[in-house]
Amino acid sequence: MAVCIAVIAKENYPLYIRSVPSQNELKFHYTVHTSLDVVEEKVSAVGKSIGDQRELYLGLLYPTEDYKVYGYVTNSKVKFVIVVDSSNTSLRDNEIRSMFRKLHNSFTDVMCNPFYNPGDPIQSKAFNGIVSGMMVQTG
Amino acid sequence: RLRVLFPLVPIFYAFLCLFILGAGDQGLFTSLYTSLAQQLPREPMEWRRTYGRAPKMIHLEANFVQFKEELLPKEGNKALLTFPFLHIYWTDCCDTETYKSSVKEDMMRWQNTLRSHSSADWVIIVVESNETKKKNKPNILPRSSIVDKIRSDFCNKQNDRCVVLSDPLKDSSRSLESWNALLLKLRTLLLMSFTKNLGRFEDDMRTLREKRTQPGWSFCEYFMVQEELAFVFEMLQQFEDALVQYDELDALFTQYVLNFGAGDTANWLGSFCAPVRNWSGLLLRRPIDMEKRDSIQRGEASLLDLRSYLFSRQCTLLIFLQRPWEVTQRALELLHNCVQELRLLEVSVIDGALDCWVFLSCLEVLHRIEGCCDPAQLAANCSHTVGLWAYATDKLKCLGELCGLVSKNGPTSEDLNRTVDLLAGLGDERPETGEFGLFLFYFFEPHFRFLHHLHMFLFLYFDFFSIGRLRSARLVGKSLAEFYMRKGDPVRAEPFMKEALKSYESEGWRLPVTHTRRQIAECQKLLGRTEDYLRTSALLAGDVNLSTEERKHFCQEILSFAGRSGNPSHKVSLCMNVFAQLTRLQFRPATASVHSGAVLQVELTLRCLMPVPVCIQQLAASIHFDVDHGGTHGRSKGATRQTNQGTIEFKPGTSSAGPNSSTTAGPTLEMDEIQDRSPSDNSLSSVGVVCKNTHLIIRRRENGSPPETPNCVSPPTVAMKEGGQMLKVQNVKLEPGNNSITFTAPPGTYTLRQLCATVGEVQFVLSPIYPSVRYEVYSQEPQLTVEPLSEPLLAGMPQLVKFTLLTGHYTVKKGDALQLSNTETMPILPSSSCTATLSIQSSEKVTSISLPPTLPYQVLEFQLEVLCIIPSGSERPANERLTNGEVRHRPHKDFRNKCYVHTMSIDCPWSIYSTLLALTFYIPFKTKHSLLSSGNRKYIQVCVQNVSDMNFTLTDMKLTEKQHSSLELQSLNTKTNQLLCSKHSVFCLWEVRWKDDLPSCLQCVFSANFCPLNQDASAFKPFHYQFQLERVTTLYSVRAEILPPPGEQHCRSGLVCGLEVCITRLTEPSEGEIAEDSKTDTDGLKNAKLMYEVADSSSNWAVCGKSSGMVLMPLKANATHKVQIEVMPLFAGHLPFPKIKVLKYLPHNAAAAIQPDPDSCVENDSLSLLDKTLDDQADTASIRSRGSIHSVGSSDQQQKGVAMPRLEPFSPGQVFNNSHSQQVLVLPTTDDHIMEVNAT
């Protein structure tokens, strides 16, 4: 499924970023960081047309030869980015959406934790577990 | 709007219409076709579609071709483009005969042929003209009859299949009408036929598609069928529908590939799995790439061929639809997809072939888009093209790497072989594809590669910038920098890297930061920027994201630089935070404030981030002298300031950021207490806490920056501030992790500013420590305080006084002594309670106290016994002056506190100045006196009240008169020793006896000895009280008598009775009195005017009639005056007599100068009799001068202001009232039923 999952704060610094251990972590960092450009583009484009009811799911941010990068922005401007291997063609848009929803729910749980200081890197085990579930071995 | 470069090239012109020219004017018919073909598409027709698809307006074009048998479609031929949609039979026959003989037969034959091909779309056109009519005038037949005949022969149910065209070459309205009718008919029929045939075609196509699971089904065949449909739509300018056909094909193919991936292999896919031999890229400039189409048709196309062809068609249609940006988007998807598909299908491709294909394809698409757009449009939509640019760049980079073009040494032979292979796959150089292939060809030439590469990168870089994708742009910039680095051009590489690094730092992405920083380090090393390189190295050495080996390497870089012997004056300053972090600062002792004798240690905890232990030659903490706190000796201040028990924890990040950290952490809360008090009684009704800066705290921070992490952000460059004092520690070894370093603080009040670690040539400087930390090592002057051991000090008794000496910085040496100036009134008593270490020597003037040798900052305490002698009344010591000019003794009389303040002058060995200390002594007693009379006899009462908390024994109470020796004061006191408890009083009484005359003024001194209870007799101290009594002699006696009403034995309430007042002069007038009063006398007799007044203050009596009056008393002994006054008792019982006042009456011209204070004789405090100061002497003066008329200014004024007769009371003792406190029995009235009982 996903090869990299990242949560990025409103101020665009990573709250959580985890990638498949077998691959170059740095590359994913660059990829996710670059994808923020497209996230910003999409958010600002949407913001112009409809004010209040914004779709959180941004869809495919951009494809590369190897990966597909999907984006999701919460109302508090926290960004979720999921990178999926391009060869994984069986993955449907709906599945990506549900992954984001799951991620969002888990993130909300993290934020609800009174011991979590908003803005700190996420170290929640539960959240990690959810992410691990989405990052099944891709071979 | 799109600028379409090439003209719309229709490949398929129109519907095919076959026609047969029947008998008649052939030339006429031929001329009609041209105008028919022209006019047919002029008017649109509404095309109603099957399957609920929306109707469309279409223009129909037709291609008219003469009928041939072979043009008719054969059985099973599904071609739609070559399908004859309409058959037309032309005739201008108007002759029945001709019709019957030949035309009908011809028509029949034609019809049969059509029927055999199951074509039901035909029409017969009968052309009529006047000329033909004229020609056939003789044998007149109704002209309709031919048409009718045809209709009846052929159109048995479809009358509309036969159309009459009349006079087509004429301009009459009739001919125009018939022409239009014909056009409409043709359009309708054509459309009908088309709809019918299209529906059939679509059905067939669907059937074919449904068969795709069957073996032997070929995608290529199906492809051709559906494409035919697309062509038809394209012909009808229904590009949207045409595109749908291609998209469906695309999706179908994709699905097959995916199924293949899932293990479901279709046979026909085999041809697509053939190894890729050609990678010349997409070809988009021709509307249809017939070559590829043919190969598809033949089933020989490779996957790339099919994809290329499909995309070229889609691209063409999209451009017709004016959607060029969709082209770019689809192109990117296609390219990604193709790469994936080839991988999925396990098609063998030589290395780099796909890169070539993708690269060329990208350029082809971009070129195609550029070809149909304005530059302005392109610039505005570069967000769409940028992906392609990036992809192309990426691929070019891959190719460059693959073929060894970017390596410094140039390509190897293996690389060259690969290059040749790749070039071979670019295919034959067709004019259309040649351009980019050639470009790529040149790209592989060593001389061109960098130029192109560079150009592409730069182009992309700025493209990204212009669309605001800064992050992508910086990433590209970084790879550009990498490229420059490879080229060996670090100068140009550095700005790009820095730009990228700044971006990552500002957004807090650690891994990219580390990576970029490492690249920068390399770059800086090449550039020889030592300082920058060291700074970066330091950051990297402490970077946990790097491997230990790398960190060690960078650490070693610093150390090896530090070890180099360079220019000693120039040291490289680096920020310490990257090297070590100050985590804790601890003071010992915790108050961070000690006197200069003690040791104040500052312990720093530094967390060293280096991977290996580092030897620091010197660690210095610069300190800043605080002027404003320097001289205050602020011990208490310092102690209260350090509320954190001398330990300051520095959170990582805050110390580095300095004042900036407060902005990231947000403003601090400013809290205030509010108290709401009720306005009436000022009682507290509510208390609260209010935050004053909520607007700052609650404000939403939009532009927040990420939390700064020590390794993420480049530290600000700091310079060690020169000058100032330093705390230094030499040769420290900092181990990785926490290290503890201790400094000893020099005296003074200092703020810690900076920290600096020196390793050879390198200095690590910590920016100003925040929050600011202050310590104080103070120097204290010796201090001597003298305070009473117990409050209050009592005068007249030995009292213990505590001396406290804080030695401060002064060392008390042997032989040092305190010199106390002696005073007579306050001698220092040699006391047994003094500590043995002290030796006290008293001389006449000075008491010397030798101090024991004491170290600085010690406290020396001892007690001395002092005595404040209460001066006897007679003494009035003159102010004495000391040799040094100070007033040595100035006891200050305080009336309110009844105390003496003695000032002690002490000479201390550490100072040339004398220390003046004030001690306040309180007199334990309060003394009152009063004069009592009984007729002529006089008594003096003295009341001594103990105001202290101690109990005393009073003894030897004596009263003496100083002036009159004849006077005898006989004590009526029984006890000689009197116990006087705290807050109690003792009364003593003396009778005054005199022989000749009682003097009018008595100067008395009361003296007694006192000592605290239960002490031996030696402890007794004298106590004096001096007072003065004036006008002591009794002048008049007043006697009153109540006379019951006549006939009554007792007075009765409510009845008037008489009051007889008898005033008797007792003594001969004294000289003073005569002098005083005789002047006022008008006649020769010496009389005194007296005023009497009966007043009853207790409302027992009602005075009837005159209550007061004046009597003239002769100044002669035993002169008597009686006054009768009527009074009425108001109550029954023993009533006290009404009060009778006798006053001196002074006529208006008499000088009633001084009213003696009635209290002055009755009560006087002891102090008035004691040592009188200058202030008091004014009082005494006024008393002394009371004999004179014009005494002082104030009374003079008073006299002038009041020229009225005045009354003056007598002094107590001058008038003796015999009937004072006498009572008389008053009976109630007999008829009084109500008895009033007054119980109080």
Side-chain angles (χ1 to χ4, degrees), chain A residues 1-43:
Chain A
M1 300 246 279
V3 288
C4 176
I5 289 179
V7 180
I8 294 133
K10 187 171 134 253
E11 295 85 4
N12 288 337
Y13 62 92
L15 288 174
Y16 182 92
I17 181 159
R18 185 149 157 241
S19 52
V20 172
S22 60
Q23 298 183 43
N24 185 4
E25 194 184 356
L26 179 67
K27 184 178 69 185
F28 286 118
H29 279 250
Y30 280 124
T31 306
V32 173
H33 184 247
T34 319
S35 75
L36 292 178
D37 276 337
V38 190
V39 170
E40 278 175 7
E41 232 172 66
K42 291 212 172 192
V43 167

Side-chain angles (χ1 to χ4, degrees), chain A residues 41-133:
Chain A
E41 232 172 66
K42 291 212 172 192
V43 167
S44 65
V46 167
K48 274 175 220 158
S49 53
I50 317 147
D52 42 358
Q53 276 299 315
R54 186 170 60 84
E55 163 92 277
L56 302 179
Y57 178 58
L58 296 177
L60 183 65
L61 295 179
Y62 69 93
T64 65
E65 197 177 295
D66 305 313
Y67 303 109
K68 285 182 178 138
V69 186
Y70 294 91
Y72 185 93
V73 178
T74 70
N75 287 320
S76 54
K77 302 241 165 59
V78 172
K79 293 129 193 146
F80 298 139
V81 172
I82 295 182
V83 183
V84 176
D85 206 308
S86 285
S87 61
N88 193 343
T89 44
S90 60
L91 215 54
R92 303 254 170 249
D93 204 46
N94 265 342
E95 292 172 64
I96 301 283
R97 272 174 199 270
S98 78
M99 275 164 82
F100 275 125
R101 251 195 305 279
K102 234 158 70 177
L103 205 60
H104 196 175
N105 286 340
S106 187
F107 176 73
T108 313
D109 290 345
V110 171
M111 296 302 280
C112 290
N113 179 0
F115 298 103
Y116 174 73
N117 191 15
D120 284 357
I122 296 170
Q123 281 158 341
S124 156
K125 274 185 191 164
F127 189 79
N128 216 24
I130 293 282
V131 170
S132 299

Side-chain angles (χ1 to χ4, degrees), chain B residues 161-371:
Chain B
R161 295 281 172 173
C162 185
V163 187
V164 178
L165 181 68
S166 55
D167 293 333
L169 298 177
K170 282 200 173 165
D171 258 354
S172 69
S173 62
R174 183 187 151 82
S175 67
L176 197 65
E177 199 181 315
S178 74
W179 180 249
N180 281 341
L182 173 71
L183 280 176
L184 187 66
K185 180 63 76 183
L186 278 180
R187 281 188 201 122
T188 315
L189 288 174
L190 195 54
L191 192 61
M192 222 159 73
S193 165
F194 169 64
T195 311
K196 192 170 73 194
N197 285 299
L198 184 72
R200 198 182 296 146
F201 183 84
E202 281 182 327
D203 286 344
D204 289 347
M205 190 183 80
R206 254 174 240 120
T207 318
L208 185 60
R209 189 162 59 194
E210 291 316 309
K211 285 180 189 161
R212 65 184 182 272
T213 47
Q214 292 174 3
W217 187 83
S218 165
F219 175 77
C220 294
E221 275 173 38
Y222 176 72
F223 183 92
M224 289 301 151
V225 173
Q226 188 155 10
E227 194 186 24
E228 181 116 12
L229 189 60
F231 286 153
V232 171
F233 283 125
E234 191 180 341
M235 180 184 75
L236 287 170
Q237 313 233 328
Q238 301 304 312
F239 300 118
E240 196 75 57
D241 291 293
L243 187 61
V244 167
Q245 306 313 315
Y246 284 110
D247 287 349
E248 278 180 16
L249 283 169
D250 196 341
L252 187 64
F253 186 74
T254 306
Q255 194 56 50
Y256 267 102
V257 176
L258 292 183
N259 290 350
F260 181 88
D264 180 11
T265 322
N267 287 331
W268 56 267
L269 262 177
S271 69
F272 295 105
C273 294
V276 177
R277 302 199 190 287
N278 186 317
W279 38 87
S280 53
L282 296 173
L283 185 66
L284 299 178
R285 40 208 85 182
R286 284 187 302 196
I288 297 178
D289 186 351
M290 290 312 281
E291 217 173 299
K292 286 216 174 72
R293 186 165 192 270
D294 289 347
S295 68
I296 294 168
Q297 205 160 17
R298 288 196 305 271
E300 291 166 0
S302 68
L303 183 120
L304 286 185
D305 288 338
L306 178 77
R307 283 290 181 195
S308 301
Y309 178 73
L310 247 178
F311 184 75
S312 75
R313 292 297 303 143
Q314 286 167 328
C315 172
T316 308
L317 290 170
L318 281 171
I319 286 176
F320 283 148
L321 286 167
Q322 311 211 337
R323 277 145 61 177
W325 313 125
E326 204 177 323
V327 174
T328 59
Q329 190 200 327
R330 280 169 175 244
L332 205 54
E333 275 172 38
L334 166 89
L335 297 177
H336 292 318
N337 192 33
C338 281
V339 174
Q340 289 297 329
E341 281 182 348
L342 284 174
R343 241 179 248 168
L344 201 63
L345 293 177
E346 292 161 345
V347 175
S348 73
V349 182
I350 69 163
D351 280 348
L354 271 183
D355 297 332
C356 282
W357 184 76
V358 168
F359 174 73
L360 292 174
S361 299
C362 283
L363 292 192
E364 177 72 19
V365 173
L366 288 169
H367 178 82
R368 184 77 188 83
I369 295 303
E370 273 169 36

